[in-house]
Amino acid sequence: MDYATSDARTPLGATADNGLKIVVVGGFGVGKTTLVRSVSEIRPLNTEETMTRAGEAIDDISEVRGKSATTVAFDFGRITLDAHNVLYLFGAPGQERFWFLWDRLFSGTLGAVVLVDTRRIDDSWYAIDRLEHRGTPFIVACNDFGGPGHTPAEIREALDLDPHVPLIDCDARSRESSKRVLITLVEHLKTVYAAAAEATAPATPATPATEEVTKSPELAL
């Protein structure tokens, strides 16, 4: 898979006063860096390092032979939702040896995208387990690597997904496709947080961040 890049350097609007944090997570080599790069309105920050032979004994590269670099901390991108709201994207590292960073990245996160390579679906279980354990809403996006096709029902069964979790196909190299992923997540967050706010309204007021999500801002891309 070729990585998409962006040279845009859009300044942050002076009226932007609310940041919404989203994490893109998944197994090793599923396209997290590619998705952040393809959709970010700024030149993304990334912490990629060149892969060496020493890493072959640690990371399973059997299905990602063309991969020459890997994220060792996180990727960061930004998208303006409207005049006051900004979406911050954090791409998590995929290798098991960096999973200890995930809980810190998940802190303060409104929601997550679990990116899946259906050729290596087992690699997605840990991400889903951690998000469910933390109670973080998420959607699942199957990145197109040209492998054998699977029906949504087969993927849901393999991942043991709850019926309410959205499942979509995507091509992380495509800006339009990555936009659809984020729009799906924002719409899902609106539903989840609106239901939570309604259930707890008598006792717990909604936070400013969740109030903004329930307004369902459009992605200004």
Side-chain angles (χ1 to χ4, degrees), residues 47-58:
T47 57
E48 286 197 313
E49 294 293 341
T50 301
M51 295 178 63
T52 65
R53 290 188 178 276
E56 294 183 8
I58 303 173

Side-chain angles (χ1 to χ4, degrees), residues 176-195:
E176 290 302 315
S177 183
S178 296
K179 281 169 54 178
R180 287 194 295 272
V181 171
L182 297 179
I183 290 170
T184 301
L185 176 60
V186 169
E187 291 175 345
H188 179 55
L189 293 178
K190 175 191 174 184
T191 301
V192 170
Y193 284 115

Side-chain angles (χ1 to χ4, degrees), residues 60-111:
D60 181 4
I61 64 170
S62 58
E63 297 290 344
V64 287
R65 289 292 180 184
K67 189 172 175 61
S68 61
T70 185
T71 299
V72 296
F74 61 86
D75 304 303
F76 174 76
R78 190 190 77 203
I79 299 174
T80 298
L81 296 177
D82 55 36
H84 295 280
N85 300 289
V86 177
L87 191 69
Y88 293 117
L89 299 175
F90 290 82
Q95 300 99 310
E96 184 174 352
R97 56 193 163 118
F98 296 127
W99 285 352
F100 70 93
L101 295 170
W102 286 16
D103 283 340
R104 289 189 178 275
L105 282 177
F106 291 165
S107 179
T109 297
L110 286 178

Side-chain angles (χ1 to χ4, degrees), residues 8-194:
R9 296 183 177 181
T10 305
L12 183 63
T15 57
D17 53 16
N18 193 40
L20 310 175
K21 181 180 178 183
I22 299 298
V23 171
V24 182
V25 69
F28 178 49
V30 296
K32 301 178 294 297
T33 297
T34 303
L35 188 147
V36 173
R37 284 181 175 177
S38 71
V39 79
S40 177
E41 68 186 14
I42 62 172
R43 179 175 294 174
L45 166 70
N46 64 69
T47 57
E48 286 197 313
E49 294 293 341
T50 301
M51 295 178 63
T52 65
R53 290 188 178 276
E56 294 183 8
I58 303 173
D59 303 317
D60 181 4
I61 64 170
S62 58
E63 297 290 344
V64 287
R65 289 292 180 184
K67 189 172 175 61
S68 61
T70 185
T71 299
V72 296
F74 61 86
D75 304 303
F76 174 76
R78 190 190 77 203
I79 299 174
T80 298
L81 296 177
D82 55 36
H84 295 280
N85 300 289
V86 177
L87 191 69
Y88 293 117
L89 299 175
F90 290 82
Q95 300 99 310
E96 184 174 352
R97 56 193 163 118
F98 296 127
W99 285 352
F100 70 93
L101 295 170
W102 286 16
D103 283 340
R104 289 189 178 275
L105 282 177
F106 291 165
S107 179
T109 297
L110 286 178
V113 174
V114 178
L115 205 56
V116 173
D117 178 352
T118 55
R119 302 170 304 171
R120 300 178 288 126
I121 205 162
D122 290 1
D123 293 351
S124 308
W125 289 346
Y126 182 77
I128 292 174
D129 178 72
R130 293 310 303 162
L131 291 167
E132 289 180 339
H133 177 75
R134 295 182 64 90
T136 302
F138 65 93
I139 69 167
V140 173
C142 297
N143 198 7
D144 181 13
F145 283 90
H150 299 280
T151 67
E154 290 172 336
I155 295 172
R156 284 188 174 277
E157 182 178 1
L159 294 174
D160 193 24
L161 284 183
D162 286 340
H164 73 277
V165 175
L167 172 67
I168 62 174
D169 293 323
C170 77
D171 182 342
R173 299 166 297 185
S174 164
R175 182 178 178 83
E176 290 302 315
S177 183
S178 296
K179 281 169 54 178
R180 287 194 295 272
V181 171
L182 297 179
I183 290 170
T184 301
L185 176 60
V186 169
E187 291 175 345
H188 179 55
L189 293 178
K190 175 191 174 184
T191 301
V192 170
Y193 284 115

